[in-house]
Amino acid sequence: MQLTQKQLNDFQKNGFLVLKNFASHELCDEITKKAKEHLEKKIAPIESEQEYMNFNDEKITVRRLRQVYDREEIFRIWMTNKKIRPILKQLLNDEIVLTLAHHNSIMTKLPKESTRTYWHQDRRYWHYENDNLVSVWLSLGDEFLDNGLLEFIPGSHKMNFDSNSFDENSNFLDENNENIKLINNKVSTPLKKGDVVLFHCKTLHHANKNNTENAKISFVYTVRGKNNKPLLNTRSDFKEIELD
């Protein structure tokens, strides 16, 4: 399977692309079943809502399961899926390397307990020779604005911002007048089980809290081009999987 020229153009222009009905419902259900087991037991490593929001709270609400490649075979099966490789090669114009330092996560927004995800670019904590990285987001169920659907700012992967556009945690400031103009251009596409979103590591995105009664669970991992090496002795200099 490969992208059409229009799809390629759309990704290059907007910094993201939605592939409808890409993964089977059976695969999504298997992943969800295992993910819920790990979430219920809060199996480390995790990121909590309290950690993300800098809350001092004894309660732990799981925001994401980290390092999922090494947790379950079904997770590895999806992360090494051969059907998507030609698409990723097209987008990166290079051979594909699966990065395990960043993303490599089951993301969740639990009902009533989730928090908003601030506007940001994923590359803020990443250390590579260039920004030739793409993330693969799999919707394991319905995703819409009221349960924390991802929203994107089209074309933001091609923009340059000064430090005044971000806070001390590299979140894109909502109250900055120039930022507000860009945020007003945000777009989103409701997702169904099996839909995939591909997005560039510089594309600004965010998600609201989950205001529904049901958990939203998603799977995200990131790939780099083979020629885009991680910088030595940084957080990104970590175990990787080369995909032929």
Side-chain angles (χ1 to χ4, degrees), residues 31 47 63-69 75 78-79 98-108 120 122 126 134-140 143 150 152 195-199 205 216-223:
I31 291 173
E47 178 188 36
R63 181 180 178 84
R64 79 168 84 191
L65 299 171
R66 297 182 181 274
Q67 298 301 315
V68 295
Y69 182 87
F75 299 164
W78 168 241
M79 293 175 75
L98 177 61
T99 71
L100 301 183
H102 309 292
H103 280 161
N104 185 11
S105 301
I106 300 288
M107 307 294 297
T108 185
H120 67 282
D122 282 337
W126 299 1
V134 170
S135 292
V136 180
W137 181 281
L138 172 63
S139 177
L140 297 172
E143 301 191 19
L150 286 177
F152 297 95
D195 291 350
V196 165
V197 186
L198 307 172
F199 57 99
H205 56 287
K216 182 178 79 76
I217 304 175
S218 315
F219 195 137
V220 62
Y221 69 88
T222 298
V223 294

Side-chain angles (χ1 to χ4, degrees), residues 8-182:
L8 276 173
N9 292 344
D10 286 346
F11 181 87
Q12 291 163 0
K13 176 183 177 182
N14 297 319
F16 65 93
L17 180 69
V18 177
L19 304 177
K20 302 297 290 184
N21 197 30
F22 187 89
S24 72
H25 284 200
E26 292 76 15
L27 175 69
C28 293
D29 290 342
E30 286 187 63
I31 291 173
T32 300
K33 179 181 177 182
K34 289 296 183 181
K36 286 183 175 179
E37 291 176 7
H38 287 247
L39 287 166
E40 288 169 6
K41 296 176 183 177
K42 297 181 171 64
I43 299 175
I46 65 171
E47 178 188 36
S48 69
E49 294 286 1
Q50 291 75 17
E51 176 186 354
Y52 180 75
M53 297 297 293
N54 293 315
F55 288 160
N56 290 318
D57 194 338
E58 292 183 1
K59 182 178 181 180
I60 296 177
T61 301
V62 179
R63 181 180 178 84
R64 79 168 84 191
L65 299 171
R66 297 182 181 274
Q67 298 301 315
V68 295
Y69 182 87
D70 294 316
R71 289 175 180 257
E72 297 282 352
E73 181 182 9
I74 192 63
F75 299 164
R76 291 189 289 275
I77 287 172
W78 168 241
M79 293 175 75
T80 56
N81 177 274
K82 291 186 176 181
K83 179 182 173 184
I84 204 169
R85 289 186 203 174
I87 293 172
L88 298 175
K89 286 181 180 180
Q90 281 181 286
L91 295 180
L92 293 173
N93 193 29
D94 199 351
E95 297 300 312
I96 303 304
V97 177
L98 177 61
T99 71
L100 301 183
H102 309 292
H103 280 161
N104 185 11
S105 301
I106 300 288
M107 307 294 297
T108 185
K109 284 190 177 290
L110 299 180
K112 310 302 181 183
E113 300 179 30
S114 70
T115 60
R116 175 195 170 195
T117 302
Y118 297 112
W119 285 103
H120 67 282
Q121 296 173 312
D122 282 337
R123 68 163 185 169
R124 55 184 169 173
Y125 303 129
W126 299 1
H127 305 277
Y128 294 89
E129 292 176 353
N130 60 59
D131 294 321
N132 200 26
L133 296 104
V134 170
S135 292
V136 180
W137 181 281
L138 172 63
S139 177
L140 297 172
D142 291 352
E143 301 191 19
F144 43 92
L145 289 178
D146 207 34
N147 74 351
L149 174 70
L150 286 177
E151 297 184 272
F152 297 95
I153 298 179
S156 53
H157 64 306
K158 295 183 176 181
M159 300 176 186
N160 294 313
F161 303 100
D162 60 35
S163 59
N164 294 327
S165 298
F166 300 88
D167 66 16
E168 64 276 8
N169 295 315
S170 298
N171 294 311
F172 199 60
L173 291 166
D174 290 309
E175 63 270 22
N176 180 298
N177 288 332
E178 292 302 313
N179 291 3
I180 291 171
K181 295 177 185 177
L182 281 176

